[in-house]
Amino acid sequence: MRIKNNRIISAVGKDFLAKLFSSWFFSGAILFFFGSGDTISAQLFQSVNIFVAIILFLVFFAAQTGIRYFLDSDRTAPICVLASASLLAIEASMKVTSSFALLGFAALIFLAARYAYLKKLEIDVAPKTSLATAIGVAVISAVFVSAIVVLRLLIYTSPNFDFGIFCNIYYNLKESFQPLSTCERDKLLSHFAVHFSPILYILLPIYYVFPSNITLQIAQVVLLMSGIIPLWLLMRKYNLNSTVKLFLAIAYCAYPAISYGCIYDFHENCFILPLLLWMFLFYELNKKIPMFIFAFLVLTVKEEAFAYVFIFAFYILAARKDYKKAIALMALSLVYFGFAVFYISHFGEGIMSNRFANLKLPNEGLLGVIKTVFKTPMLLFNELFRSTNNESIKIIYFLQLFLPLAMLPFATKKFSRLILVCPLLINFLSDYYYQCDLGKQYSFGMTAFLFYVSVINLSEIERNKGVYMTFSAAVMSAVMMLSLMYPRVVNYSLSYSVNKQAYERITQVLDEIPDDASVTASTFFVPRLSHRSVIYEQYYHKAVDTDYLVLDLRGTTSVKIAEIEQPYIDAGYKMIVNDEGLIRVYVRD
């Protein structure tokens, strides 16, 4: 009897603090479902009786003690700590409103993983299970993100810049095989006059068969998620164990720069991420021809994509001493960049160097940026975390990039490997606000480098430590992704269900406008009306010269609308549709 009592006391006292915290977390996670309120505050659980909370806590504590007593296993506490902390953080992320508040949940996840690591808890996932789960997560993620971006179209929140532009470009590609658009620079112009992007033709066969705006939205998601294939093959090349591969694959699928990066609709930058990963893979496999093919494809995405190829070439030159490939890649990237700059400067609108206006004199181009940085290194460091719009934006952006990767890109003693983190400078040195916005397309190229260097670093990290670092990355990616995406899901789905008839009415009106008519429209109506030769965004198009004027009345004052429509009324345009608070259409009489 005494021995039995000693076992009970031992079961209660063993890992007491761990059981205490995990019981607290588990009970909090259960109560989350009964909480009221949109944010995490003192009012969240005001409807829950304190005695119910205490009973839940005691039940979880007793359950852990019972398992510890009957199974006599040291695995119980670390498993419960990991599970409860992860569940609590993932649930809470749906109501987190502050980017900095996520630091607390990141600390919770990392501490829980650290505890499990110190307790020598081993997590083993069979290779086949790991692969099957990774495929399943990738498919679910693609469907989840696709549903959100398609909802954006259904509720008319996708603007002309940049989605309407690409819709118009692909319409013209299908009709004339030329990347023309009228709504990009308020005139008929080739997109190559703004960005030299031959890569757009790759998607044309699919668009030709399925000529829809939805095709572009889903294609971007599929392209980005397809990067998991070369990433998985890279992990196999570096002999990472199946558990690490699974967790890093989950981190990739949930990585906020990928999932949330789709939220601002289709953009040509989506090609960069998978193409870079394929280039890295073929380099690692020592397959020269495929490597150069994918390097060239990266360059065709956009003129500034040369920087990614050049940085990679510099890495294999400095860190791998692979001089021949490095010099060849550098030469390829610089020659192509020179050609693209020449083309845009002489036949187009000129290089968009204004995004680095903080690093050059007013009348200088990109060469001015290089000269300024060379002559004034203190300016470079001054600009790294400074922003004229929001002083904390770059710090938040840094945390959003590296916390979901558990800081793995920095987990190396080899200084030369940090070259692979240098693409970060492209975004950080710019004073263009959107460069450090996770909801835009400017993080795709950098993301490829961050996962690539994470794979290399993991190959040198002790197995169990790598498991918990990638576990932390997977959970933190999910937490941050949900904190960014969940409000969108709720708002979009609620808006669609409540205002479904209004959106159907907008669609009906827009579809009744003849396909061969020229149209000037409010920004959110441009994508739907883009399948025509002439479509302008009303905000930029001041000339009264199109067949139709289509105005979005949602959230716009009557005074503002009156200012817009008066020139058309004066020119004799006739109002043919007037749904107050929704849509108004004028036709040239």
Side-chain angles (χ1 to χ4, degrees), residues 11 21 47 78 81 112 129 207 244 283 306 328 397 414 422 438 485 563:
F21 278 104
S47 60
V81 167
T129 303
Y207 183 84
V244 167
Y283 171 76
F306 93 96
Y397 183 60
K414 296 181 179 179
C422 285
L438 220 60
M485 299 287 273
E563 291 177 1

Side-chain angles (χ1 to χ4, degrees), residues 389-586:
N389 297 76
N390 185 341
E391 285 296 337
S392 63
I393 185 174
K394 290 185 178 179
I395 296 174
I396 293 172
Y397 183 60
F398 181 88
L399 295 173
Q400 288 175 329
L401 287 174
F402 291 100
L403 284 182
L405 274 173
M407 295 295 175
L408 275 167
F410 298 108
T412 180
K413 295 179 181 179
K414 296 181 179 179
F415 186 78
S416 61
R417 197 170 293 163
L418 295 179
I419 295 171
L420 293 174
V421 185
C422 285
L424 185 72
L425 298 177
I426 298 172
N427 290 31
F428 267 54
L429 290 176
S430 173
D431 202 34
Y432 183 55
Y433 179 83
Y434 294 120
Q435 290 280 154
C436 293
D437 183 350
L438 220 60
K440 303 298 185 293
Q441 66 277 0
Y442 300 108
S443 304
F444 293 153
M446 184 195 321
T447 296
F449 280 85
L450 297 184
F451 274 90
Y452 177 45
V453 71
S454 295
V455 169
I456 299 173
N457 291 346
L458 280 166
S459 68
E460 299 173 354
I461 294 174
E462 181 262 320
R463 179 204 175 279
N464 218 29
K465 186 177 181 180
V467 167
Y468 285 106
M469 290 185 77
T470 50
F471 174 86
S472 300
V475 176
M476 198 57 211
S477 287
V479 167
M480 197 165 288
M481 181 269 289
L482 286 172
S483 73
L484 294 167
M485 299 287 273
Y486 184 73
R488 300 272 184 161
V489 175
V490 173
N491 293 336
Y492 290 170
S493 57
L494 181 63
S495 178
Y496 182 71
S497 61
V498 172
N499 304 300
K500 185 178 180 181
Q501 287 185 333
Y503 297 131
E504 289 176 346
R505 172 58 180 163
I506 291 174
T507 302
Q508 178 190 1
V509 172
L510 297 182
D511 289 351
E512 287 176 354
I513 297 174
D515 292 340
D516 58 351
S518 59
V519 180
T520 299
S522 299
T523 185
F524 294 117
F525 291 164
V526 171
R528 184 78 188 188
L529 293 164
S530 62
H531 293 187
R532 64 189 65 247
S533 299
V534 179
I535 174 71
Y536 297 114
E537 181 182 342
Q538 174 275 316
Y539 182 82
Y540 297 99
H541 193 69
K542 302 307 178 186
V544 181
D545 58 358
T546 53
D547 297 327
Y548 286 82
L549 170 68
V550 184
L551 298 176
D552 186 353
L553 305 184
R554 300 172 301 165
T556 307
T557 64
S558 57
V559 174
K560 182 65 176 175
I561 290 296
E563 291 177 1
I564 296 169
E565 64 189 357
Q566 192 59 51
Y568 290 85
I569 294 173
D570 294 341
Y573 279 66
K574 177 184 176 183
M575 183 191 298
I576 57 173
V577 175
N578 184 25
D579 289 7
E580 285 298 333
L582 201 63
I583 186 172
R584 187 173 295 168
V585 180
Y586 285 88

Side-chain angles (χ1 to χ4, degrees), residues 38-40 89 92-99 101-102 105 479 483 487:
D38 297 325
T39 59
I40 299 176
S93 66
M94 300 177 193
K95 294 189 176 182
V96 172
T97 56
S98 167
S99 298
L102 288 172
F105 295 103
V479 167
S483 73

Side-chain angles (χ1 to χ4, degrees), residues 166 169-170 173 177 179 191-192 195-207 216 219-220 223 266-276 278 292-305 336 339-340:
F166 284 106
I169 288 170
Y170 269 99
L173 280 172
F177 208 63
H191 180 64
F192 293 176
H195 290 300
F196 196 68
S197 308
I199 195 71
L200 292 174
Y201 283 97
I202 286 184
L203 197 58
L204 184 56
I206 296 174
Y207 183 84
L216 298 181
Q220 172 166 259
L223 277 167
F266 176 86
H267 195 280
E268 62 209 350
N269 282 19
C270 67
F271 290 96
I272 292 179
L273 174 54
L275 291 176
L276 280 172
W278 281 110
F292 280 105
I293 289 173
F294 278 94
F296 180 77
L297 288 173
V298 170
L299 295 173
T300 63
V301 174
K302 222 174 185 178
E303 61 281 355
E304 61 254 38
Y336 188 90
F339 168 76

